[in-house]
């Protein structure tokens, strides 16, 4: 069916409330659905798909965007002519399918030149090459319409820590990001950066291991206003941390510029599984927070799935995987809305407000401190009272399991 507004091909509405639409802002990377299933122990199990074909298939599935590394589209070392041809064909595919490129990034990890890192490598020539490649890739991303640029420093780490003082690595990382921020400003590009943390893999230890590390690091940059974070479920979980807490801190700081949704079991390699397929409760709470169903300010940026299909799958399995990510997100959103509408839940969550004490704690003053000291508080009586969180969590489980609506 042709969409009257933009003349693009739009999926027929099926009446299924969980069917993804462009308005949901879902995106996938070329490298995600295009993942051929290669792992450290085995070869590819799926054939390479052309970028234009991926764009068409993603559009059919209901996604609105496709993201890419420079070399997902333009092969490493391609000539200017080759680049032009490839980019032209890709743009035509985007246009034809009504798809956008919300985010782009640089591959600073595949080529052996990056074996000691890119921006943090000891050899200045490697660092210079990483900057050259990033400026080219930023140009490409902007040409394709990207408004966000992700930096995931997969190789920025070490095994033999004596090779480099980690403080030198941080200084080099800062230098590179400051350099690239200036580049973007000078070009007058409308582009923001989003830093993606990961604790390890492929390096033994990666610098700036978590979203929390990144949030502080951003405050040390020359243009912190241009830089936010791109937290990934799998990466925070690998570190044994709560993705929801990390994302909450980023949202509170106004720094959640992008998000990598997937699933992960704790204590494993980076699994990048279909969104919601592990830790369903964590996924529910994440969607609840992103959507603001409890009355908080929602996240309005792209919802990117940085995941891939199981190695057991053929191409059909890849599209089943992609649809699954988006459907699970929408189902969880509906469940979260029901949960937050449930009168019993609202009753349990009702704030234990204290009109006398709270104003005293909002700001220090001699007067407030004096009044606070004089307040009569009975810790034993407070300690005896149960909080009802077992009931609250069970209610959440029942919403999640679909027996309460
Ligand atoms: C990973 C990362 C990557 C990045 C991607 C975009 O662990 O492989 O999550 O998929 O997100 O390189 O920066
Ligand atoms: Mn990952
Ligand atoms: Mn990622």
């Amino acid at each position: 069916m042709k969409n009257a507004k933009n003349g693009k091909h739009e999926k027929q509405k099926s009446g299924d409330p969980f069917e993804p639409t462009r308005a949901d802002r879902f995106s996938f990377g070329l490298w995600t659905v295009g993942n051929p299933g290669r792992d450290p122990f085995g070869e590819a199990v799926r054939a390479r798909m052309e970028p234009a074909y991926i764009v068409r298939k993603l559009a059919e599935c209901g996604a609105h965007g496709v993201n890419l590394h420079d070399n997902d589209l333009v092969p490493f070392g391609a000539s200017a002519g080759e680049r032009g041809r490839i980019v032209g064909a890709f743009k035509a595919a985007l246009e034809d399918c009504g798809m956008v490129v919300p985010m782009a990034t640089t591959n600073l990890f595949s080529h052996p030149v990056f074996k000691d890192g890119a921006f943090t490598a000891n050899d200045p020539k490697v660092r210079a090459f990483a900057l050259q490649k990033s400026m080219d890739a930023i140009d490409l991303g902007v040409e394709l319409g990207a408004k966000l640029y992700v930096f995931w420093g997969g190789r920025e780490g070490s095994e033999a820590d004596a090779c480099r003082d980690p403080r030198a690595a941080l200084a080099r990382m800062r230098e590179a990001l400051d350099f690239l921020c200036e580049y973007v400003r000078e070009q007058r590009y409308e582009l923001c950066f989003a830093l993606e943390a990961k604790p390890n893999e492929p390096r033994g230890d990666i610098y700036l291991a978590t979203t929390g590390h990144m949030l502080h690091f951003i405050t040390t940059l020359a243009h912190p206003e241009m830089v936010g974070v791109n937290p990934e479920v799998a990466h925070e979980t690998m570190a044994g941390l709560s993705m929801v807490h990390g994302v909450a801190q980023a949202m509170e700081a106004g720094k959640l510029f992008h998000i990598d949704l997937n699933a992960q079991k704790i204590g494993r390699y980076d699994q990048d599984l279909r969104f919601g397929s592990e830790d369903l409760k964590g996924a529910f709470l994440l969607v609840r927070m992103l959507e603001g169903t409890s009355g908080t300010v929602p996240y309005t940026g792209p919802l990117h799935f940085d995941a891939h299909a199981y190695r057991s799958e053929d191409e059909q399995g890849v599209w089943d995987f992609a649809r699954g990510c988006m459907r699970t997100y929408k189902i969880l959103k509906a469940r979260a809305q029901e949960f937050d509408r449930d009168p019993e839940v609202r009753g349990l969550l009702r704030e234990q407000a204290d009109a006398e004490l709270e104003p005293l704690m909002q700001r220090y003053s001699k007067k407030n401190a004096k009044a606070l000291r004089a307040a009569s508080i009975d810790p034993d009586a407070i300690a005896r009272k149960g909080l009802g969180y077992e009931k609250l969590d069970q209610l959440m489980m029942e919403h999640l399991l679909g027996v309460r609506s």
Side-chain angles (χ1 to χ4, degrees):
M1 180 178 114
K2 285 264 187 181
N3 177 327
K5 209 161 134 233
N6 61 10
K8 302 290 178 277
H9 292 279
E10 262 282 9
K11 259 183 80 69
Q12 190 95 37
K13 289 246 171 339
S14 65
D16 177 345
F18 305 123
E19 191 67 14
T21 70
R22 298 287 200 275
D24 293 317
R25 315 185 315 278
F26 292 136
S27 61
F28 290 83
L30 284 179
W31 72 95
T32 62
V33 285
N35 182 298
R38 194 176 292 113
D39 72 16
F41 302 95
E43 295 307 329
V45 294
R46 292 184 286 268
R48 180 187 138 81
M49 291 187 272
E50 286 305 320
Y53 177 74
I54 293 181
V55 168
R56 203 175 77 232
K57 295 298 286 186
L58 282 177
E60 273 173 32
C61 289
H64 104 126
V66 61
N67 301 322
L68 51 108
H69 301 87
D70 48 354
N71 303 136
D72 295 340
L73 184 63
V74 182
F76 188 93
S79 68
E82 217 181 320
R83 179 196 187 278
R85 255 193 324 279
I86 293 171
V87 174
F90 189 66
K91 278 177 162 172
L94 290 170
E95 171 75 10
D96 194 42
C97 301
M99 292 276 279
V100 296
V101 175
M103 176 274 260
T105 182
T106 327
N107 184 327
L108 295 172
F109 44 88
S110 291
H111 193 285
V113 69
F114 299 125
K115 62 190 174 200
D116 187 36
F119 298 145
T120 63
N122 282 345
D123 184 342
K125 284 202 182 61
V126 174
R127 304 206 295 275
F129 182 65
L131 285 177
Q132 282 179 353
K133 195 171 192 294
S134 297
M135 285 188 282
D136 288 348
I138 286 174
D139 293 347
L140 172 65
V142 170
E143 186 179 343
L144 294 171
K147 296 277 181 285
L148 282 160
Y149 203 84
V150 162
F151 289 89
W152 170 66
R155 297 275 174 206
E156 316 286 11
S158 66
E159 293 78 31
D161 260 325
C163 78
R164 176 171 42 241
D165 187 318
R167 288 169 295 187
L170 293 174
R172 289 173 189 166
M173 187 70 98
R174 181 177 305 115
E175 198 174 87
L177 287 168
D178 284 350
F179 187 99
L180 293 172
C181 277
E182 284 305 343
Y183 176 69
V184 165
R185 284 162 59 85
E186 200 193 55
Q187 302 302 307
R188 301 192 176 281
Y189 287 158
E190 237 184 88
L191 191 71
C192 286
F193 292 172
L195 310 185
E196 177 177 347
K198 187 174 182 180
N200 60 276
E201 196 194 316
R203 298 313 296 267
D205 287 288
I206 297 179
Y207 304 122
L208 299 161
T210 70
T211 296
H213 289 76
M214 288 298 187
L215 284 171
H216 172 262
F217 178 69
I218 290 167
T219 68
T220 72
L221 299 175
H223 290 288
E225 73 287 352
M226 285 177 68
V227 188
V229 290
N230 177 37
E232 175 171 317
V233 177
H235 300 176
E236 301 296 308
T237 308
M238 285 168 77
L241 299 176
S242 160
M243 172 72 171
V244 175
H245 291 195
V247 169
Q249 194 175 350
M251 286 178 86
E252 211 218 9
K255 289 294 181 192
L256 186 67
F257 286 10
H258 196 263
I259 190 160
D260 277 4
L261 299 167
N262 56 20
Q264 172 78 25
K265 275 191 181 169
I266 208 160
R268 304 279 201 284
Y269 63 95
D270 186 28
Q271 293 178 299
D272 294 337
L273 298 167
R274 189 178 75 257
F275 179 63
S277 63
E278 297 290 343
D279 186 16
L280 198 48
K281 217 157 104 174
F284 170 86
L285 289 165
L286 180 60
V287 172
R288 179 177 182 242
M289 192 167 61
L290 293 173
E291 297 295 329
T293 60
S294 68
T296 52
V297 181
Y299 163 77
T300 54
L303 293 164
H304 173 65
F305 297 102
D306 189 14
H308 48 76
Y310 301 136
R311 196 164 182 267
S312 53
E313 302 308 290
D314 59 10
E315 192 195 314
Q316 181 52 47
V318 170
W319 307 121
D320 292 341
F321 146 85
R323 285 179 200 278
C325 286
M326 297 187 279
R327 286 182 65 78
T328 297
Y329 187 98
K330 293 196 77 163
I331 295 167
L332 289 174
K333 178 176 169 182
R335 293 282 179 259
Q337 284 164 336
E338 283 161 8
F339 175 73
D340 282 311
R341 271 199 303 261
D342 185 328
E344 215 175 331
V345 171
R346 291 164 75 116
L348 283 167
L349 284 177
R350 203 165 295 131
E351 275 188 51
Q352 304 159 309
D354 190 314
E356 251 172 64
L357 285 177
E358 274 168 340
L360 299 181
M361 295 184 285
Q362 272 157 14
R363 198 175 48 83
Y364 177 84
S365 69
K366 276 207 167 93
K367 194 167 150 254
N368 280 353
K370 192 166 170 228
L372 204 55
R373 278 207 154 118
S376 127
I377 298 167
D378 179 352
D380 294 328
I382 299 168
R384 272 192 300 275
K385 197 170 163 287
L387 296 176
Y389 296 164
E390 281 289 357
K391 192 163 186 189
L392 179 66
D393 199 77
Q394 179 64 20
L395 282 172
M396 190 178 81
M397 290 305 293
E398 296 194 9
H399 274 283
L400 250 178
L401 294 170
V403 296
R404 205 182 154 95
S405 59

